[in-house]
Every structure is written in structure tokens, then in C-alpha cells.
Amino acid sequence: MSVDVAREGAVAVVTIDRPDALNALDVATLTELRDRLGELAGDDAVRALVLTGAGEKAFVAGADIKYMSGLDPEQAKAWGALGHEAGRLLETMPKPTIAAVNGFALGGGCELALACDVRYASSRAKLGQPEINLGIVPGWGGTQRLARVCGIGVAKELIFTGRTVDAEEALRIGLVNAVADPVLERALETARALAAKSPVALSLAKRLCNLALGVDHAGGLGTEAAEFGELFASEDAKEGLTAFVEKREPNFAGR
Ligand code: COA
């Protein structure tokens, strides 16, 4: 099992554990994550959820690039949809979700963190949306949620350049709420405090705050999901993804 769920009273800690790939999400891991999140969403005994990655180095280093390098547009759409399901569960489940970003949170990892209600980072964390360097775009909600969390100017710069930010910059641009070591302890502290509050009021607070995301958030996510898949028909997507797998620089033809 590459997704571990531990309970501490009313707090659930979900740990993504795929050490040989820096916790990058393949189909099995992402499916398991989606399923576990679905169960925890409906479990009234769970009042707050913490999401983290196993080990010292990574939260989640992204979607599995080796897997993505073989996808056609239809498969890419299904892959994007699975990531969207996990993100929507984190964003809409009627209890607070907290990301403890304990290392690399890149691509899909940053997107999962963005789908959480609160984000804390360890001082060694690195976050970003480097998909552009693979000839693709964020496909699990990043194009919509990064702008909502950090503002459109920051989101465009990070998504267009694909550069990563360290914990200090992430705090400055509002991508994380705080930097703390050990980050899991900080996340648990908040989760325990939230678990002691009224779950009725907290779930309403979450639902109302989500309204601030704008009337057509779901529409934006739908467009991203469709276009992300279509992009896998491009030569540049094949080249960018394959180049990573072959450990070389990509040579984009512009098609
Ligand atoms: N998908 C698949 N495998 C991944 C991965 C991903 N997103 N990220 C890391 N890995 C694998 C590496 O291929 C490597 O496996 P290998 O030993 O079988 O070759 C292993 O995890 C360790 O990664 P490595 O690159 O050797 O570690 P590093 O410390 O030198 O670099 C990163 C760490 C995170 C900077 C680098 O792995 C990276 O750039 N990963 C891709 C990040 C990314 O673009 N994510 C967005 C995807 S949408």
C-alpha cells in the first residue's frame, strides 16, 4: 500500500509513501489516495485531515512522468480526471484539510497542496508547477487554484516559467500559511485545534469560504481537464515527457 492512513483521535493523517519515486503519484497510488480521501470525507469520526509525504525529501514530486510519457489524449484526460477527483475531495470535504509540505511539492504535488484548505511547509520544502518544462500544463487544478491562492500575476509567472520556490518565498507569496519544523507537528497542532471546534460551524465556514473561489470555479477546472488531455496529442508533450524519462534536455519543435 502506498497511501497510509493513521488516526490520532479525530485527526486523520494521510501519508503518500512511494519512496523510490519521491512519492510521485502513479495510477495505483493516486487511485488509492482518491479512495481513502472519499472514505475519510464521509467518516464523521474524522474532524480534520492532514496530508503529507513519507520520508525527509518529498511531499509529492508530481504526477508520475514515466507513466505520463506513454499517454494518448484520451488516457491523459482520464488521468487528469483522477487527479481532479482527489483535489475536489480535499477542497470540498466537510472538514478542514491541511497539507504538511515536508519537501518537494512539484506539479501534481503542489496541486494537491493547493486543494487543501491550509498549507504548512518545512524550511527545506520546494514548491512549483514545472509542467511547462515537460511541454505540458498543470492538469490537476493548478491553473485555477494557484491564481486563487496567490493571485493571477504570481500564478502566471510560476506556471509560465516552471520555476520552483523555496519555503521562504512560498510564505512571502502566500502559497503556504507558515514555515515550521517539524512541519507535520505544526500541521497536527492546527488539526487538533480544529478537531475540537464545532464540526457543524467548521463545515459551513469551509463551504462559505469556497464560495469566494468564484462562481465558475468548476467550469475553469472542467476546461483545464479537457485541454490538458488534448495537449498530449502534441509532439512537444511527447518530447518533454520522454526527455525527462531519458534523463536529457527536451528539444521542443513547437508542434
Ligand atoms: N515522476 C516519476 N518519477 C519521478 C518523479 C516524477 N514526477 N520525480 C522524481 N522521480 C523519480 C526519478 O526519476 C528518480 O528515479 P530513478 O532513480 O529511477 O531515476 C527518483 O524519483 C529520484 O529522483 P531524482 O531526480 O534522482 O532526485 P533529485 O534529488 O536529483 O531531484 C527532483 C529531485 C524533484 C528535482 C527531480 O526528481 C524532478 O525534477 N522531478 C520531476 C518533478 C516534476 O517535473 N514534477 C511535475 C510532474 S507533472
Side-chain angles (χ1 to χ4, degrees):
M1 285 295 183
S2 40
V3 177
D4 176 65
V5 178
R7 302 286 186 97
E8 191 206 275
V11 175
V13 180
V14 178
T15 305
I16 297 164
D17 187 2
R18 223 188 135 217
D20 50 345
L22 298 182
N23 303 328
L25 296 170
D26 60 1
V27 178
T29 312
L30 182 57
T31 303
E32 203 184 329
L33 177 65
R34 190 267 322 262
D35 292 348
R36 293 294 85 77
L37 291 176
E39 288 160 16
L40 294 167
D43 185 343
D44 290 342
V46 174
R47 299 262 189 102
L49 184 153
V50 174
L51 179 67
T52 194
E56 300 288 301
K57 202 170 164 186
F59 174 69
V60 170
D64 191 303
I65 303 174
K66 288 167 195 164
Y67 171 69
M68 285 200 294
S69 66
L71 298 184
D72 66 25
E74 284 314 306
Q75 293 166 324
K77 276 184 200 172
W79 176 236
L82 190 58
H84 272 262
E85 280 182 52
R88 272 307 250 179
L89 280 164
L90 288 164
E91 186 174 57
T92 63
M93 71 171 69
K95 59 196 80 182
T97 54
I98 303 172
V101 179
N102 55 310
F104 289 112
L106 302 177
C110 191
E111 291 173 293
L112 285 179
L114 281 167
C116 290
D117 300 314
V118 174
R119 283 157 294 287
Y120 297 125
S122 75
S123 55
R124 294 198 352 250
K126 293 234 173 353
L127 301 94
Q129 300 289 163
E131 288 88 347
I132 200 81
N133 300 323
L134 302 167
I136 59 172
V137 299
W140 293 352
T143 65
Q144 305 304 298
R145 293 194 180 101
L146 187 54
R148 285 173 158 88
V149 171
C150 297
I152 190 74
V154 168
K156 282 179 172 170
E157 196 246 349
L158 291 184
I159 291 171
F160 293 1
T161 64
R163 77 181 179 88
T164 57
V165 298
D166 61 17
E168 195 190 319
E169 183 175 359
L171 180 63
R172 186 165 54 74
I173 64 178
L175 180 49
V176 299
N177 297 74
V179 178
D181 294 310
V183 67
L184 183 57
E185 213 24 70
R186 178 72 172 82
L188 283 171
E189 208 177 282
T190 300
R192 286 184 203 115
L194 296 182
K197 297 188 190 295
S198 158
V200 180
L202 210 47
S203 70
L204 178 60
K206 176 164 175 169
R207 197 150 53 81
L208 294 175
C209 284
N210 278 347
L211 291 180
L213 291 175
V215 283
D216 202 21
H217 178 50
L221 288 172
T223 304
E224 183 202 82
E227 299 291 340
F228 170 79
E230 290 299 335
L231 193 56
F232 277 65
S234 76
E235 278 179 35
D236 283 354
K238 289 191 182 67
E239 167 63 12
L241 294 162
T242 307
F244 179 88
V245 176
E246 294 174 353
K247 298 184 189 292
R248 60 175 173 80
E249 286 299 311
N251 182 11
F252 294 122
R255 297 186 286 274

PDB file of all heavy atoms in Angstrom, residues 1-3 15-18 23-35 79 82:
ATOM      1  N   MET A   1       0.841  -1.197   0.000  1.00  0.00           N
ATOM      2  CA  MET A   1       0.000   0.000   0.000  1.00  0.00           C
ATOM      3  C   MET A   1       0.880   1.251   0.000  1.00  0.00           C
ATOM      4  O   MET A   1       1.771   1.384   0.827  1.00  0.00           O
ATOM      5  CB  MET A   1      -0.890   0.023   1.245  1.00  0.00           C
ATOM      6  CG  MET A   1      -2.047  -0.957   1.171  1.00  0.00           C
ATOM      7  SD  MET A   1      -3.182  -0.497  -0.138  1.00  0.00           S
ATOM      8  CE  MET A   1      -4.434  -1.737   0.096  1.00  0.00           C
ATOM      9  N   SER A   2       0.628   2.200  -0.887  1.00  0.00           N
ATOM     10  CA  SER A   2       1.480   3.382  -0.935  1.00  0.00           C
ATOM     11  C   SER A   2       0.783   4.622  -0.380  1.00  0.00           C
ATOM     12  O   SER A   2       1.306   5.715  -0.477  1.00  0.00           O
ATOM     13  CB  SER A   2       1.969   3.625  -2.358  1.00  0.00           C
ATOM     14  OG  SER A   2       0.938   3.368  -3.271  1.00  0.00           O
ATOM     15  N   VAL A   3      -0.422   4.417   0.195  1.00  0.00           N
ATOM     16  CA  VAL A   3      -1.071   5.514   0.918  1.00  0.00           C
ATOM     17  C   VAL A   3      -1.428   4.984   2.305  1.00  0.00           C
ATOM     18  O   VAL A   3      -2.184   4.023   2.434  1.00  0.00           O
ATOM     19  CB  VAL A   3      -2.344   6.008   0.195  1.00  0.00           C
ATOM     20  CG1 VAL A   3      -3.025   7.096   1.017  1.00  0.00           C
ATOM     21  CG2 VAL A   3      -2.007   6.529  -1.197  1.00  0.00           C
ATOM     22  N   THR A  15      -0.628   9.689   4.512  1.00  0.00           N
ATOM     23  CA  THR A  15       0.770   9.799   4.087  1.00  0.00           C
ATOM     24  C   THR A  15       0.974   9.080   2.759  1.00  0.00           C
ATOM     25  O   THR A  15       0.682   7.889   2.643  1.00  0.00           O
ATOM     26  CB  THR A  15       1.706   9.178   5.152  1.00  0.00           C
ATOM     27  OG1 THR A  15       1.442   9.798   6.409  1.00  0.00           O
ATOM     28  CG2 THR A  15       3.173   9.396   4.787  1.00  0.00           C
ATOM     29  N   ILE A  16       1.458   9.817   1.777  1.00  0.00           N
ATOM     30  CA  ILE A  16       1.765   9.220   0.475  1.00  0.00           C
ATOM     31  C   ILE A  16       3.185   8.659   0.554  1.00  0.00           C
ATOM     32  O   ILE A  16       4.123   9.375   0.923  1.00  0.00           O
ATOM     33  CB  ILE A  16       1.621  10.269  -0.639  1.00  0.00           C
ATOM     34  CG1 ILE A  16       0.164  10.732  -0.674  1.00  0.00           C
ATOM     35  CG2 ILE A  16       2.059   9.698  -1.989  1.00  0.00           C
ATOM     36  CD1 ILE A  16      -0.085  11.994  -1.428  1.00  0.00           C
ATOM     37  N   ASP A  17       3.330   7.377   0.237  1.00  0.00           N
ATOM     38  CA  ASP A  17       4.585   6.683   0.533  1.00  0.00           C
ATOM     39  C   ASP A  17       5.042   5.860  -0.679  1.00  0.00           C
ATOM     40  O   ASP A  17       4.686   4.699  -0.820  1.00  0.00           O
ATOM     41  CB  ASP A  17       4.358   5.784   1.762  1.00  0.00           C
ATOM     42  CG  ASP A  17       5.653   5.158   2.247  1.00  0.00           C
ATOM     43  OD1 ASP A  17       6.722   5.444   1.673  1.00  0.00           O
ATOM     44  OD2 ASP A  17       5.586   4.377   3.218  1.00  0.00           O
ATOM     45  N   ARG A  18       5.809   6.512  -1.536  1.00  0.00           N
ATOM     46  CA  ARG A  18       6.367   5.830  -2.707  1.00  0.00           C
ATOM     47  C   ARG A  18       7.819   6.277  -2.833  1.00  0.00           C
ATOM     48  O   ARG A  18       8.175   7.072  -3.708  1.00  0.00           O
ATOM     49  CB  ARG A  18       5.569   6.246  -3.940  1.00  0.00           C
ATOM     50  CG  ARG A  18       5.257   5.101  -4.869  1.00  0.00           C
ATOM     51  CD  ARG A  18       4.635   5.581  -6.156  1.00  0.00           C
ATOM     52  NE  ARG A  18       5.236   4.913  -7.269  1.00  0.00           N
ATOM     53  CZ  ARG A  18       5.484   5.480  -8.441  1.00  0.00           C
ATOM     54  NH1 ARG A  18       5.207   6.738  -8.663  1.00  0.00           N
ATOM     55  NH2 ARG A  18       6.040   4.775  -9.401  1.00  0.00           N
ATOM     56  N   ASN A  23       7.708   9.939  -3.920  1.00  0.00           N
ATOM     57  CA  ASN A  23       6.252   9.990  -3.689  1.00  0.00           C
ATOM     58  C   ASN A  23       5.471  10.517  -4.894  1.00  0.00           C
ATOM     59  O   ASN A  23       4.339  10.996  -4.732  1.00  0.00           O
ATOM     60  CB  ASN A  23       5.911  10.824  -2.434  1.00  0.00           C
ATOM     61  CG  ASN A  23       6.596  10.294  -1.191  1.00  0.00           C
ATOM     62  OD1 ASN A  23       6.810   9.097  -1.063  1.00  0.00           O
ATOM     63  ND2 ASN A  23       6.968  11.180  -0.273  1.00  0.00           N
ATOM     64  N   ALA A  24       6.068  10.430  -6.087  1.00  0.00           N
ATOM     65  CA  ALA A  24       5.306  10.789  -7.300  1.00  0.00           C
ATOM     66  C   ALA A  24       4.118   9.831  -7.406  1.00  0.00           C
ATOM     67  O   ALA A  24       4.189   8.673  -6.995  1.00  0.00           O
ATOM     68  CB  ALA A  24       6.195  10.682  -8.537  1.00  0.00           C
ATOM     69  N   LEU A  25       3.032  10.327  -7.982  1.00  0.00           N
ATOM     70  CA  LEU A  25       1.782   9.552  -7.997  1.00  0.00           C
ATOM     71  C   LEU A  25       1.615   8.794  -9.306  1.00  0.00           C
ATOM     72  O   LEU A  25       1.514   9.401 -10.374  1.00  0.00           O
ATOM     73  CB  LEU A  25       0.601  10.496  -7.787  1.00  0.00           C
ATOM     74  CG  LEU A  25       0.592  11.196  -6.419  1.00  0.00           C
ATOM     75  CD1 LEU A  25      -0.453  12.285  -6.384  1.00  0.00           C
ATOM     76  CD2 LEU A  25       0.351  10.192  -5.301  1.00  0.00           C
ATOM     77  N   ASP A  26       1.608   7.475  -9.210  1.00  0.00           N
ATOM     78  CA  ASP A  26       1.246   6.641 -10.357  1.00  0.00           C
ATOM     79  C   ASP A  26      -0.245   6.299 -10.224  1.00  0.00           C
ATOM     80  O   ASP A  26      -0.911   6.738  -9.274  1.00  0.00           O
ATOM     81  CB  ASP A  26       2.139   5.389 -10.440  1.00  0.00           C
ATOM     82  CG  ASP A  26       2.022   4.522  -9.201  1.00  0.00           C
ATOM     83  OD1 ASP A  26       1.246   4.864  -8.275  1.00  0.00           O
ATOM     84  OD2 ASP A  26       2.715   3.490  -9.142  1.00  0.00           O
ATOM     85  N   VAL A  27      -0.778   5.521 -11.158  1.00  0.00           N
ATOM     86  CA  VAL A  27      -2.221   5.256 -11.157  1.00  0.00           C
ATOM     87  C   VAL A  27      -2.660   4.572  -9.864  1.00  0.00           C
ATOM     88  O   VAL A  27      -3.656   4.958  -9.242  1.00  0.00           O
ATOM     89  CB  VAL A  27      -2.627   4.369 -12.365  1.00  0.00           C
ATOM     90  CG1 VAL A  27      -4.119   4.063 -12.311  1.00  0.00           C
ATOM     91  CG2 VAL A  27      -2.312   5.075 -13.671  1.00  0.00           C
ATOM     92  N   ALA A  28      -1.901   3.564  -9.445  1.00  0.00           N
ATOM     93  CA  ALA A  28      -2.298   2.811  -8.248  1.00  0.00           C
ATOM     94  C   ALA A  28      -2.326   3.730  -7.024  1.00  0.00           C
ATOM     95  O   ALA A  28      -3.275   3.704  -6.229  1.00  0.00           O
ATOM     96  CB  ALA A  28      -1.337   1.645  -8.019  1.00  0.00           C
ATOM     97  N   THR A  29      -1.285   4.559  -6.878  1.00  0.00           N
ATOM     98  CA  THR A  29      -1.192   5.427  -5.695  1.00  0.00           C
ATOM     99  C   THR A  29      -2.281   6.503  -5.724  1.00  0.00           C
ATOM    100  O   THR A  29      -2.924   6.774  -4.708  1.00  0.00           O
ATOM    101  CB  THR A  29       0.203   6.082  -5.623  1.00  0.00           C
ATOM    102  OG1 THR A  29       1.185   5.076  -5.816  1.00  0.00           O
ATOM    103  CG2 THR A  29       0.435   6.753  -4.285  1.00  0.00           C
ATOM    104  N   LEU A  30      -2.482   7.105  -6.894  1.00  0.00           N
ATOM    105  CA  LEU A  30      -3.488   8.166  -6.980  1.00  0.00           C
ATOM    106  C   LEU A  30      -4.901   7.601  -6.787  1.00  0.00           C
ATOM    107  O   LEU A  30      -5.745   8.226  -6.138  1.00  0.00           O
ATOM    108  CB  LEU A  30      -3.372   8.890  -8.331  1.00  0.00           C
ATOM    109  CG  LEU A  30      -4.320  10.067  -8.563  1.00  0.00           C
ATOM    110  CD1 LEU A  30      -4.184  11.131  -7.481  1.00  0.00           C
ATOM    111  CD2 LEU A  30      -4.070  10.695  -9.936  1.00  0.00           C
ATOM    112  N   THR A  31      -5.143   6.411  -7.320  1.00  0.00           N
ATOM    113  CA  THR A  31      -6.458   5.782  -7.138  1.00  0.00           C
ATOM    114  C   THR A  31      -6.693   5.502  -5.655  1.00  0.00           C
ATOM    115  O   THR A  31      -7.771   5.770  -5.106  1.00  0.00           O
ATOM    116  CB  THR A  31      -6.539   4.466  -7.938  1.00  0.00           C
ATOM    117  OG1 THR A  31      -6.270   4.753  -9.300  1.00  0.00           O
ATOM    118  CG2 THR A  31      -7.922   3.830  -7.831  1.00  0.00           C
ATOM    119  N   GLU A  32      -5.654   4.977  -5.018  1.00  0.00           N
ATOM    120  CA  GLU A  32      -5.769   4.678  -3.592  1.00  0.00           C
ATOM    121  C   GLU A  32      -5.991   5.961  -2.791  1.00  0.00           C
ATOM    122  O   GLU A  32      -6.812   6.000  -1.870  1.00  0.00           O
ATOM    123  CB  GLU A  32      -4.483   3.983  -3.148  1.00  0.00           C
ATOM    124  CG  GLU A  32      -4.647   3.144  -1.911  1.00  0.00           C
ATOM    125  CD  GLU A  32      -3.316   2.575  -1.476  1.00  0.00           C
ATOM    126  OE1 GLU A  32      -2.445   2.308  -2.325  1.00  0.00           O
ATOM    127  OE2 GLU A  32      -3.139   2.420  -0.253  1.00  0.00           O
ATOM    128  N   LEU A  33      -5.264   7.010  -3.157  1.00  0.00           N
ATOM    129  CA  LEU A  33      -5.432   8.290  -2.459  1.00  0.00           C
ATOM    130  C   LEU A  33      -6.871   8.794  -2.632  1.00  0.00           C
ATOM    131  O   LEU A  33      -7.521   9.179  -1.648  1.00  0.00           O
ATOM    132  CB  LEU A  33      -4.442   9.327  -3.022  1.00  0.00           C
ATOM    133  CG  LEU A  33      -4.561  10.727  -2.431  1.00  0.00           C
ATOM    134  CD1 LEU A  33      -4.203  10.732  -0.940  1.00  0.00           C
ATOM    135  CD2 LEU A  33      -3.666  11.719  -3.183  1.00  0.00           C
ATOM    136  N   ARG A  34      -7.365   8.766  -3.863  1.00  0.00           N
ATOM    137  CA  ARG A  34      -8.752   9.208  -4.123  1.00  0.00           C
ATOM    138  C   ARG A  34      -9.739   8.392  -3.270  1.00  0.00           C
ATOM    139  O   ARG A  34     -10.648   8.939  -2.636  1.00  0.00           O
ATOM    140  CB  ARG A  34      -9.027   9.047  -5.623  1.00  0.00           C
ATOM    141  CG  ARG A  34     -10.320   9.652  -6.151  1.00  0.00           C
ATOM    142  CD  ARG A  34     -11.494   8.692  -6.185  1.00  0.00           C
ATOM    143  NE  ARG A  34     -11.192   7.331  -6.570  1.00  0.00           N
ATOM    144  CZ  ARG A  34     -11.345   6.822  -7.787  1.00  0.00           C
ATOM    145  NH1 ARG A  34     -11.766   7.576  -8.769  1.00  0.00           N
ATOM    146  NH2 ARG A  34     -11.077   5.533  -8.022  1.00  0.00           N
ATOM    147  N   ASP A  35      -9.527   7.083  -3.225  1.00  0.00           N
ATOM    148  CA  ASP A  35     -10.453   6.223  -2.471  1.00  0.00           C
ATOM    149  C   ASP A  35     -10.390   6.495  -0.968  1.00  0.00           C
ATOM    150  O   ASP A  35     -11.423   6.561  -0.295  1.00  0.00           O
ATOM    151  CB  ASP A  35     -10.147   4.745  -2.752  1.00  0.00           C
ATOM    152  CG  ASP A  35     -10.485   4.366  -4.187  1.00  0.00           C
ATOM    153  OD1 ASP A  35     -11.145   5.163  -4.875  1.00  0.00           O
ATOM    154  OD2 ASP A  35     -10.076   3.269  -4.621  1.00  0.00           O
ATOM    155  N   TRP A  79      -6.529  10.424 -16.751  1.00  0.00           N
ATOM    156  CA  TRP A  79      -5.505  10.647 -15.725  1.00  0.00           C
ATOM    157  C   TRP A  79      -5.740  11.993 -15.035  1.00  0.00           C
ATOM    158  O   TRP A  79      -5.706  12.098 -13.807  1.00  0.00           O
ATOM    159  CB  TRP A  79      -4.135  10.590 -16.409  1.00  0.00           C
ATOM    160  CG  TRP A  79      -2.942  10.883 -15.576  1.00  0.00           C
ATOM    161  CD1 TRP A  79      -1.991  11.835 -15.832  1.00  0.00           C
ATOM    162  CD2 TRP A  79      -2.502  10.215 -14.383  1.00  0.00           C
ATOM    163  NE1 TRP A  79      -1.013  11.808 -14.871  1.00  0.00           N
ATOM    164  CE2 TRP A  79      -1.307  10.828 -13.976  1.00  0.00           C
ATOM    165  CE3 TRP A  79      -3.026   9.174 -13.629  1.00  0.00           C
ATOM    166  CZ2 TRP A  79      -0.608  10.419 -12.834  1.00  0.00           C
ATOM    167  CZ3 TRP A  79      -2.333   8.774 -12.478  1.00  0.00           C
ATOM    168  CH2 TRP A  79      -1.144   9.389 -12.112  1.00  0.00           C
ATOM    169  N   LEU A  82      -8.765  11.810 -12.685  1.00  0.00           N
ATOM    170  CA  LEU A  82      -8.494  11.148 -11.406  1.00  0.00           C
ATOM    171  C   LEU A  82      -7.851  12.130 -10.417  1.00  0.00           C
ATOM    172  O   LEU A  82      -8.227  12.196  -9.241  1.00  0.00           O
ATOM    173  CB  LEU A  82      -7.578   9.940 -11.658  1.00  0.00           C
ATOM    174  CG  LEU A  82      -7.340   8.959 -10.526  1.00  0.00           C
ATOM    175  CD1 LEU A  82      -8.639   8.359 -10.013  1.00  0.00           C
ATOM    176  CD2 LEU A  82      -6.390   7.836 -11.000  1.00  0.00           C
TER     177      LEU A  82
END
